[in-house]
Amino acid sequence: MESVRLVVVSAGLGLPSSTRLLADRLAEATVRRLSGDGHPAEVRVIELRDLATDIAANLVTGFPGATLREAIEAVTEADGLIAVTPIFTASYSGLFKSFFDVIDNSALTGKPVLIAATGGTARHSLVLEHAMRPLFAYLRAIVVPTAVYAASEDWGTGGDSRADDLASRVARAAGELAGLMSHRPAAARQVEAVIPFEQQLAALRP
């Protein structure tokens, strides 16, 4: 079985972090779906909190340090990406945006990406559509249809009190990402080719 590389970027600041918790749930669900499709996954988690100083230095000097360079390479060489940020002032965090600012704007072309966010209230869930999805569209990534937002109430109820609960959204988004990663051309690991729209749709069909 051919293994695939899944990279998870978490911009959570706290210890523990609800952002990291959501990132881990999404990664676990994606790995299960990939395994079921015959694709064992290698998972790498990048905590942006640990790279904050390096990211700031890169923005000023234009040169990444060794640790940041290695993280950037992991993201750009991945077969799929999960990107999770806390919501601050009705948008993604500055640390999250700064990290993707230091990545070449063509490096994510054709890469399957699952976007997710955490916040105190469900009212901020539209940030996924009016801020995060356009960001990755600009970077020419392929963003899965289901974006996952977890408000404080989702954790408090365990995500079991509503028909479209957190667990269901996580499972649906993970299935979409796994579908794209399973059908991604092997050549895309060397040359980031854009997957045709028809192929994207075929990958998402049950």
Side-chain angles (χ1 to χ4, degrees):
M1 293 187 293
E2 184 182 6
S3 65
V4 293
R5 292 166 293 185
L6 174 64
V7 171
V8 183
V9 175
S10 171
L13 299 179
L15 284 173
S17 162
S18 61
T19 301
R20 175 60 189 270
L21 178 59
L22 179 58
D24 287 343
R25 288 195 179 186
L26 290 165
E28 290 165 5
T30 303
V31 168
R32 283 196 299 269
R33 290 297 298 268
L34 286 168
S35 179
D37 292 338
H39 294 280
E42 303 169 8
V43 181
R44 163 77 185 276
V45 178
I46 296 173
E47 285 275 12
L48 297 188
R49 177 186 61 247
D50 300 332
L51 298 172
T53 300
D54 291 335
I55 292 170
N58 191 155
L59 290 172
V60 173
T61 66
F63 297 98
T67 303
L68 178 58
R69 185 184 309 111
E70 196 272 335
I72 292 172
E73 289 173 356
V75 168
T76 58
E77 294 173 3
D79 295 298
L81 178 66
I82 296 174
V84 191
T85 179
I87 300 303
F88 296 133
T89 321
S91 189
Y92 39 62
S93 74
L95 180 60
F96 182 86
K97 179 61 163 59
S98 295
F99 176 70
F100 287 99
D101 280 346
V102 302
I103 295 177
D104 185 89
N105 62 13
S106 64
L108 300 186
T109 299
K111 192 178 303 296
V113 177
L114 190 168
I115 56 173
T118 59
T121 171
R123 290 178 299 174
H124 291 313
S125 61
L126 287 178
V127 169
L128 288 162
E129 303 302 329
H130 73 64
M132 290 186 72
R133 195 176 294 276
L135 169 65
F136 286 98
Y138 171 77
L139 296 173
R140 290 174 278 185
I142 301 172
V143 185
V144 303
T146 301
V148 180
Y149 181 83
S152 297
E153 62 204 59
D154 288 304
W155 304 117
T157 62
D160 298 324
S161 63
R162 298 192 298 272
D164 190 27
D165 58 46
L166 178 59
S168 297
R169 284 176 276 141
V170 166
R172 185 166 64 247
E176 293 166 355
L177 180 62
L180 288 175
M181 291 176 66
S182 296
H183 292 78
R184 194 166 184 236
R189 298 189 181 188
Q190 287 77 39
V191 179
E192 298 292 341
V194 176
I195 300 176
F197 183 67
E198 293 79 10
Q199 187 174 338
Q200 297 178 41
L201 292 178
L204 295 175
R205 293 191 186 109

